[in-house]
Structure formats: structure tokens, C-alpha cells
């Protein structure tokens, strides 16, 4: 028998987070449309706190709860994707994939289009938070839980695509699992084909942050230059039925795909390169090697796969805290000294009036990003008498007492007239501070499924 010809699937990532550039995917879809073989487009739109924020929106309005800018990404590319048979996969359904599907149906009708839409559900365990939920952290206050979601894998994505879905909308689909689902559909790979699933997961991991792998987060002025960084091209993975893997990008776009950009992304957020745990497979990149096979084309070899872990990772969104910040600027001669005096005044006022608060102070221009919670870094920098004539005092607070945080922010604003001299540009904001907690849950206690709204 002659060996079957190698089949290449092409997968592009149109967004790596909810605040990405909606226009970037337009050129990506055009590039995918020119290719032969299976083609897919996905949008990765969730971060750890995104689901909690989405769940709050859903509680306020049952027709909301999906990623805020989901339709800014989808609207421009619906027609070309449907015309060229490019399935769209996204976890932008967030806390309410079904509501997103309903709105998408209206969007399609407004454009005179028809599509088969599938929702992948089962990641949201919010309704299972009863006394039998022994997988919750013991010290987690249940009354503060806003969201409870599990990172689910590729199985239901593949099921949806096999069912003819043109668009798949999920909630907490694990980032690389969207790519794994597409490749299982394209190549018929089994759920326990660890070697092939490892390559698929590596492809998903390299694509999931969008233009990070095409030079965006790689760029470093004066050290690591990339061409035309204002017009970065979206990444594309070419994955063969023989488990070959090449990363490239939209032709004619800015940025670059090099062994250096791929190395940085391959190790991004990986704790153990020999055992990167995902819902679909345990990925081993410890023996991976890279090869430049053309301009903006890098092949990845040596990916290894091991059985998927027995547990899945869950993420809780918790409320109950308030975050406030305010700032005031000082400029010109003596700016640092005046800002320092303002900080000392403010610290004493807060100690007198609101002793239970734990304020955090930065002097932006002197010490901010490197500043620590105790202020030791800032104190050391001030001893050096920095020659800065443009500085901003920032106050940050997190506490359960909203009224106390508001009063503290007001204290900063009183510096306008109560001195020191020359302060201006006060800005203040107060909002709920959502925090997250992780947990593990046995795989068999989570049941992802597909619906067709």
C-alpha cells in the first residue's frame, strides 16, 4: 500500500486576549482563505479574572456575560469565514455562551448570513456549589464566590466541528484546547493519541497569545528590534497529519517569526518544561528543537506527549474587596521633595483618620513598578536624591470597607489646597476588586457538552 499523502491543517489566532486589536484578524482570514486544506480561526479572549467580571455582568443582565468586545472581533470576519469554509472557535462566550450565540444569530441575520452555531458548556460549576462541593478550598468563603469555572479540553470542540459547526462558542475552554479540538477534527486524532495531541497542544500554546509569537512581546527597544511593530501580523500554525509543526504569520505584515520569538513563547507560563499540564495531554517540550525553514517560518521538532492529568484546574472569582487609587502630579524644581512631603502628609492623615487601612504609595518617576508593598524600594531611591522634575504621587488601597477607601481617596484630593505647592492633575477611581483562587477537581466530575442554540 502506498502511504497516504500528508495533510496540512492551517490554524490562525485572531486575538490573544479580550483587549486585542479587532482589525488584525481581517488580514489573517484573507491569508487563510488562500490556503488549501482544512483552515480554522480562533480567538482567545479569557484571562483569570475575565470570567468573574463577565459573571457580574450576567447577574445584572441575563443577556450579557460574554466577552465585552467579542462582536468587535467577529463582525468583520463572519462573511469571509463562512464564504471560504473557515470555522471560527472562541472562548469569548465567557460566562454566557448561549447569550453570545443568540446575539450572533441576530448579527448574522443583519448581514444576510446563515451559520450553524454550537456552544460548548459544562465548564461553569456555579450551580454545583452545595455541600457536596468538597473540591472547593476549605478556607474559601462561599458567600463571596462570583464565578466557578473549570478549564475544559478539546473533546466538545471536536464534537461540535464534527457536527458541522461553522462557529463554536465556549466558556472556559483552555487556551490551547481550541487548537487541539480543531486538529482532532482535521486529522482524526484520538483523545488518547498523546503524541499527536502534544504537538497540537504545542501549536495552541504557541498561538494562544496572538502576536506575542510574531514579535510583539519579544520587542525590546535597542536590543531586539522587529520590523514594523505597529502592524504586527497574526500567527498561523501549519500542522501536518504526520505531526509536523511550523509557525508562520500573515504575509506582508509587520513583526517576525524567528527561533527567538518562538522560544520565548514556547516557554511562556510553563512551570515544568517536561510536564506542562493541560486538560488534553501532559506536554513535554524539554527536548524540543527549532529549525528555520524559510522567512518567518520556524519548525518545531521533538515535542513529546504523556497521558493527561487525572485532575482539571478550576478557577474561582471572589468579590468582597474594594480597590481605590488616586494620584497627584508635581513638576519642576523640587518636584521630588514636594511629592515626598505630600506623601508624608497623606500618610499621617490616614494614620490619624483611618488607621485600619494599609495604604500603598508610589512615586511614579522615582519608584513605581519596582516598588514593594512595604515601600523599602521607594525609601532607598529617595536616599539617592533622584534628579527628577516630573513625578506623580500614587495612592493605592484594597480593603473590605468601601467607605474608608473613599475617604482615603478624598484625603489625597485635599492636597490641592492643603499643600504642598504645585500639585495638580488629581485623578481617582474606586471599584470592586475581584480576586481569584485556583483548585483541582477530578476529571470525571466535569462533563463538557455541546448545545445548538
Amino acid at each position: 500500500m502506498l502511504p497516504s499523502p500528508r495533510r496540512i491543517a492551517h490554524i490562525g489566532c485572531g486575538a490573544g486576549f479580550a483587549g486585542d486589536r479587532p482589525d488584525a484578524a481581517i488580514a489573517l482570514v484573507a491569508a487563510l482563505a488562500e490556503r488549501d486544506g482544512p483552515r480554522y480561526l480562533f480567538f482567545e479572549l479569557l484571562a483569570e479574572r475575565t470570567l468573574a467580571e463577565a459573571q457580574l455582568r450576567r447577574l445584572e443582565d441575563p443577556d450579557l456575560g460574554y466577552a465585552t468586545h467579542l462582536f468587535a472581533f467577529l463582525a468583520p470576519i463572519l462573511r469571509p469565514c463562512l464564504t471560504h469554509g473557515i470555522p471560527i472557535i472562541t472562548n469569548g462566550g465567557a460566562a454566557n455562551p448561549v447569550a453570545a450565540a443568540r446575539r450572533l444569530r441576530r448579527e448574522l441575520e443583519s448581514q444576510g448570513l446563515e451559520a450553524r452555531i454550537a456552544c460548548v458548556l459544562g465548564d461553569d460549576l456555579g450551580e454545583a456549589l452545595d455541600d457536596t462541593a468538597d473540591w472547593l478550598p476549605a478556607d474559601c468563603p462561599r458567600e463571596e464566590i462570583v464565578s466557578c469555572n473549570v478549564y475544559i479540553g478539546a473533546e466538545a470542540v471536536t464534537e461540535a466541528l464534527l457536527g458541522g459547526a461553522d462557529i463554536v462558542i465556549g466558556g472556559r475552554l483552555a487556551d490551547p484546547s481550541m487548537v487541539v479540538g480543531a486538529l482532532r477534527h482535521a486529522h482524526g486524532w484520538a483523545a488518547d493519541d498523546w503524541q499527536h495531541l502534544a504537538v497540537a497542544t504545542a501549536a495552541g500554546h504557541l498561538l494562544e497569545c496572538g502576536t506575542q509569537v510574531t514579535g510583539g512581546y519579544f520587542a525590546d527597544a535597542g536590543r531586539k528590534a522587529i520590523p514594523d511593530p505597529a502592524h504586527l501580523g497574526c500567527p498561523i500554525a501549519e500542522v501536518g497529519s504526520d505531526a509536523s509543526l511550523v509557525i508562520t504569520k500573515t504575509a506582508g505584515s509587520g513583526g517576525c517569526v524567528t527561533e527567538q520569538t518562538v522560544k520565548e513563547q514556547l516557554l511562556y507560563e510553563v512551570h515544568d518544561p517536561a510536564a506542562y499540564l493541560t486538560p488534553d495531554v501532559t506536554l513535554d517540550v524539554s527536548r524540543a528543537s527549532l529549525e528555520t525553514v524559510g522567512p518567518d517560518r520556524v519548525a518545531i521538532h521533538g515535542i513529546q506527549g504523556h497521558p493527561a492529568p487525572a485532575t482539571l484546574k478550576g478557577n474561582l472569582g471572589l468579590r468582597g474587596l474594594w480597590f481605590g487609587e488616586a494620584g497627584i502630579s508635581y513638576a519642576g524644581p523640587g518636584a521630588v521633595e514636594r511629592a515626598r512631603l505630600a506623601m508624608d502628609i497623606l500618610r499621617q492623615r490616614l494614620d490619624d483618620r483611618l488607621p485600619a487601612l494599609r495604604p500603598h504609595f508610589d512615586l511614579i518617576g522615582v519608584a513605581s513598578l519596582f516598588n514593594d508593598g512595604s515601600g523599602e524600594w521607594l525609601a532607598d531611591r529617595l536616599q539617592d536624591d533622584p534628579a527628577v522634575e516630573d513625578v506623580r504621587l500614587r495612592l493605592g488601597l484594597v480593603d473590605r470597607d468601601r467607605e474608608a477607601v473613599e475617604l482615603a481617596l478624598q484625603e489625597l484630593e485635599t492636597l490641592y489646597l492643603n499643600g504642598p505647592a504645585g500639585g495638580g492633575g488629581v485623578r481617582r477611581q474606586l471599584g470592586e476588586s475581584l480576586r481569584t483562587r485556583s483548585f483541582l477537581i477530578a476529571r470525571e466530575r466535569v462533563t463538557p457538552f455541546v448545545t445548538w442554540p
Side-chain angles (χ1 to χ4, degrees), residues 52-65 96 146 319 432:
E53 295 165 351
Q55 193 64 258
L56 289 178
R57 294 197 305 274
R58 181 183 183 181
L59 291 173
E60 293 176 358
D61 185 339
D63 290 328
L64 298 179
N96 205 346
V146 175
R319 65 193 315 176
E432 194 165 13

Side-chain angles (χ1 to χ4, degrees), residues 362-369 378 388 390-394:
D362 292 316
L363 286 186
I364 299 171
V366 176
S368 54
L369 186 60
L378 174 56
V388 178
D390 188 343
V391 64
R392 184 166 180 83
L393 171 63
R394 175 188 175 274

Side-chain angles (χ1 to χ4, degrees), residues 78 82 104-105 108-109 113-118 164-167 453:
L78 287 174
L82 292 172
L104 177 58
R105 183 71 65 195
L108 290 165
E109 290 174 355
L113 300 172
E114 293 184 0
R116 190 158 167 75
I117 304 171
D166 300 301
I167 304 166

Side-chain angles (χ1 to χ4, degrees), residues 14-162:
F17 76 116
D20 217 332
R21 298 169 177 166
D23 62 301
I26 298 173
L28 172 60
V29 171
L32 290 173
E34 295 176 352
R35 293 168 174 247
D36 295 324
R39 296 142 320 160
Y40 305 86
L41 171 69
F42 80 102
F43 295 97
E44 200 294 287
L45 300 178
L46 293 185
E48 281 69 17
R49 286 188 300 180
T50 312
L51 272 168
E53 295 165 351
Q55 193 64 258
L56 289 178
R57 294 197 305 274
R58 181 183 183 181
L59 291 173
E60 293 176 358
D61 185 339
D63 290 328
L64 298 179
Y66 44 83
T68 305
H69 301 297
L70 173 61
F71 288 90
F73 294 105
L74 292 180
I77 52 83
L78 287 174
R79 185 177 297 277
C81 281
L82 292 172
T83 299
H84 295 284
I86 302 172
I88 303 166
I89 308 165
T90 182
N91 55 16
N96 205 346
V98 173
R102 288 196 298 261
R103 178 175 168 185
L104 177 58
R105 183 71 65 195
R106 296 192 297 271
E107 179 71 31
L108 290 165
E109 290 174 355
S110 72
Q111 295 191 34
L113 300 172
E114 293 184 0
R116 190 158 167 75
I117 304 171
C119 288
V120 173
L121 307 177
D123 64 294
D124 189 342
L125 301 186
E127 296 183 358
L129 298 179
D130 54 25
D131 293 337
T132 65
D134 52 5
W135 32 267
L136 282 175
D139 61 343
C140 180
R142 298 195 180 193
E143 69 277 6
E144 295 182 1
I145 296 176
V146 175
S147 62
C148 179
N149 295 80
V150 176
Y151 291 76
I152 59 175
E155 186 71 33
V157 174
T158 302
E159 179 186 340
L161 293 170
L162 288 172

